[in-house]
Amino acid sequence: MPHRLSRWRWCAHAAMVFPAAYAATPILLDLIEHGQRPRIKDAALGLLSNALDYFPTVGHNRVDTPYDIQVPLCCAIARRIRGRRAALLARGIHGKQLLAEADLHWRLTIEEAELQADGSLTAIAALEGTPFQTPVEAELHVPQPVEQPLQTVWMDALTADASGTACIELRQTPFKHPPGSSLYPAECGRREH
Ligand SMILES: [Zn+2]
């Protein structure tokens, strides 16, 4: 049946990740940290790497987490991976590679912000992940229970020290950035098949 065949082909070529991967991440990290068999540890590392690489299907790219709601799936998985840094470093080169991949899914938490005369915003923020090039479009998440639709802002500058303390400049925007707001790569929010 042509329809079924084409569908099968599509699935065979399009590797996908599902929101369940977020729930599975701590289980896979436990296997890496406490598992007895190297083959299983390597398999868990590979699955986590795939979970960061693959795109979810449309409408399945976001998960609610204890810290933010509607977080891009890859960034939520990456944050759990970063949370087990010591265990991954102990796994040598492959653990380090996975951490490096996870660190590309940065997150910034705004701690203090000052509105400038031109309408731009200078803020002190905590950076998780690797410093990145600007300008870049970022997704803004405001703390609950402030209700705001998901929005994006442009970040024109980032300077960060080794501790992760960062100074950022956000381009003029009508949106508010209350302290505790967080930023994610906007491109991660668009990762969908
Ligand atoms: Zn991401």
Side-chain angles (χ1 to χ4, degrees):
M1 293 171 45
H3 172 71
R4 292 187 67 177
L5 181 62
S6 62
R7 186 172 165 174
W8 179 85
R9 279 190 178 147
W10 182 80
C11 289
H13 287 101
M16 285 180 284
V17 60
F18 296 92
Y22 172 69
T25 298
I27 300 164
L28 293 168
L29 288 165
D30 281 346
L31 284 173
I32 293 166
E33 187 167 4
H34 306 298
Q36 301 298 317
R37 289 152 62 186
R39 191 174 61 80
I40 300 294
K41 290 174 182 248
D42 288 345
L45 277 168
L47 286 169
L48 287 171
S49 179
N50 290 347
L52 289 178
D53 279 352
Y54 294 168
F55 282 28
T57 48
V58 174
H60 295 93
N61 186 26
R62 294 184 182 277
V63 286
D64 290 343
T65 70
Y67 46 92
D68 285 319
I69 61 163
Q70 296 292 292
V71 177
L73 181 58
C74 51
C75 295
I77 292 171
R79 196 164 195 239
R80 285 192 153 167
I81 292 172
R82 284 199 294 271
R84 303 287 276 274
R85 188 166 291 274
L88 289 166
L89 288 175
R91 283 298 300 158
I93 181 74
H94 296 297
K96 282 197 188 107
Q97 275 172 356
L98 182 66
L99 275 172
E101 288 168 37
D103 278 342
L104 297 177
H105 300 262
W106 50 264
R107 178 177 187 266
L108 281 159
T109 312
I110 295 177
E111 292 173 350
E112 281 182 43
E114 196 171 312
L115 196 62
Q116 304 300 311
D118 64 358
S120 66
L121 195 91
T122 303
I124 299 296
L127 171 67
E128 299 167 31
T130 306
F132 48 88
Q133 299 242 312
T134 53
V136 71
E137 198 176 5
E139 218 175 66
L140 176 70
H141 292 248
V142 297
Q144 301 301 312
V146 182
E147 295 263 340
Q148 284 192 33
L150 204 57
Q151 51 205 249
T152 59
V153 292
W154 278 95
M155 197 183 312
D156 283 327
L158 166 94
T159 10
D161 68 16
S163 76
T165 302
C167 180
I168 58 173
E169 283 178 41
L170 296 173
R171 202 173 293 177
Q172 186 176 13
T173 159
F175 302 124
K176 297 264 184 287
H177 312 86
S181 297
S182 52
L183 297 158
Y184 296 87
E187 61 175 328
C188 287
R190 301 189 185 109
R191 287 167 56 131
E192 290 180 334
H193 274 298

